[in-house]
Amino acid sequence: MITNIDKLTENGCGTEKTDKVCRSRGGESCAFDGAMIVLQPIADAAHVVHGPIACCGNSWEGRGSLSKKGSLHRMGFTTDMSELDIIYGSEEKLFHAIRKIFDEVRPKAIFVYSTCVSGLIGEDIDAVCRRAETVLGIRVIPVNAPGFVGPKNLGNRIAGEVLLDHVIGTGEPPSVTGYDINLIGEYNIAGDLWLTEPILEKAGLKVLSRMTGDATFEEITWAHRAKLNVVVCSRALINVAKEM
Ligand code: SF4
């Protein structure tokens, strides 16, 4: 999936210092957590952590994104890997977890996250996701950002690549205007988007896709139809903005 490391490590906005980009700052969390931060605000999708339960606990509600589009971002789904799962492998356990989540909460899509433990023992989450998609008939998307690959910001960028590779461009909007915009790197933290979006509307701009605060999974599928991409947090998703 990572085809161009430069896209993942380049600077954000012009004021960024190179020594701050994609490098851990003291106390910063891991790449897995960074990927969760970007994708978990999609609240009508389920987010399944394939790893020990502490990874899920580490990332749960880490950012305080609010949503009126669903509540799945507030639920923690994990395979809770144990010693036996590490010894014998747990791809089958992951598949059954995905199926149970689908049966229980009927998400619009499911994101499946690798972690240090599942990544180190070589769990093939891509294969499990493909199999689950075939069986369930919804999008099941692998997020390969185990914590050991780097700091939080690298995970942000990997999550952006996941959106580019698996989500954006896979749907079409019901209607378009000449003033459709995307908001990239806007996470609706504490509901800030609910203050700014009405102002944008008064200015005649329609937010076509939010990435990802207060977003639906579906609206991100048609983000490629926007006339303008507005970057709110370049440090997190400059790679998505440039690709768009
Ligand atoms: S992915 Fe690795 S670094 Fe991140 S929370 Fe899990 S064990 Fe810790």
Side-chain angles (χ1 to χ4, degrees):
M1 184 192 69
I2 304 172
T3 54
N4 185 348
I5 194 69
D6 294 337
K7 282 199 299 184
L8 299 174
T9 58
E10 69 183 313
N11 288 355
C13 63
T15 59
E16 294 270 19
K17 292 181 181 172
T18 53
D19 62 357
K20 284 186 175 178
V21 178
C22 285
R23 288 168 175 79
S24 182
R25 297 175 294 182
E28 195 170 58
S29 59
C30 68
F32 151 73
D33 187 46
M36 283 285 280
I37 283 170
V38 167
L39 299 173
Q40 200 172 28
I42 306 170
D44 60 352
H47 302 266
V48 188
V49 180
H50 188 36
I53 197 165
C55 298
C56 186
N58 176 48
S59 59
W60 186 80
E61 274 283 86
R63 182 163 267 197
S65 289
L66 301 182
S67 178
K68 292 176 179 169
K69 310 292 171 47
S71 58
L72 297 179
H73 64 311
R74 295 186 55 81
M75 299 179 75
F77 301 104
T78 176
T79 49
D80 185 17
M81 289 177 73
S82 67
E83 288 91 339
L84 286 178
D85 296 323
I86 295 167
I87 294 166
Y88 294 111
S90 54
E91 290 173 4
E92 204 57 28
K93 184 178 186 180
L94 174 60
F95 176 77
H96 288 295
I98 293 169
R99 187 147 71 178
K100 182 163 179 58
I101 289 162
F102 176 75
D103 290 341
E104 294 283 334
V105 299
R106 296 284 163 177
K108 290 281 191 267
I110 299 177
F111 289 92
V112 179
Y113 300 78
S114 64
T115 60
C116 289
V117 174
S118 55
L120 279 170
I121 66 170
E123 296 279 284
D124 189 350
I125 68 167
D126 292 59
V128 176
C129 289
R130 282 195 298 273
R131 181 180 161 207
E133 268 194 350
T134 305
V135 172
L136 303 179
I138 64 166
R139 302 298 312 284
V140 183
I141 297 169
V143 184
N144 283 301
F148 60 76
V149 301
K152 180 183 81 173
N153 187 226
L154 182 64
N156 297 157
R157 304 280 176 94
I158 292 173
E161 294 298 307
V162 167
L163 292 178
L164 290 167
D165 289 346
H166 296 277
V167 186
I168 296 168
T170 62
E172 291 296 334
S175 63
V176 290
T177 73
Y179 302 95
D180 293 341
I181 67 169
N182 293 329
L183 296 180
I184 297 176
E186 162 56 64
Y187 302 108
N188 198 29
I189 298 167
D192 59 350
L193 180 62
W194 295 331
L195 298 177
T196 53
E197 197 167 329
I199 297 170
L200 293 170
E201 280 174 13
K202 279 186 183 167
L205 299 171
K206 178 182 157 200
V207 179
L208 192 66
S209 302
R210 302 154 191 83
M211 292 185 218
T212 53
D214 201 32
T216 62
F217 178 81
E218 191 176 31
E219 74 182 50
I220 298 175
T221 68
W222 57 58
H224 58 294
R225 294 299 180 202
K227 300 293 187 295
L228 178 70
N229 289 284
V230 179
V231 178
V232 179
C233 176
S234 65
R235 191 167 193 272
L237 289 178
I238 189 70
N239 54 328
V240 174
K242 288 200 168 179
E243 193 73 23
M244 298 290 282

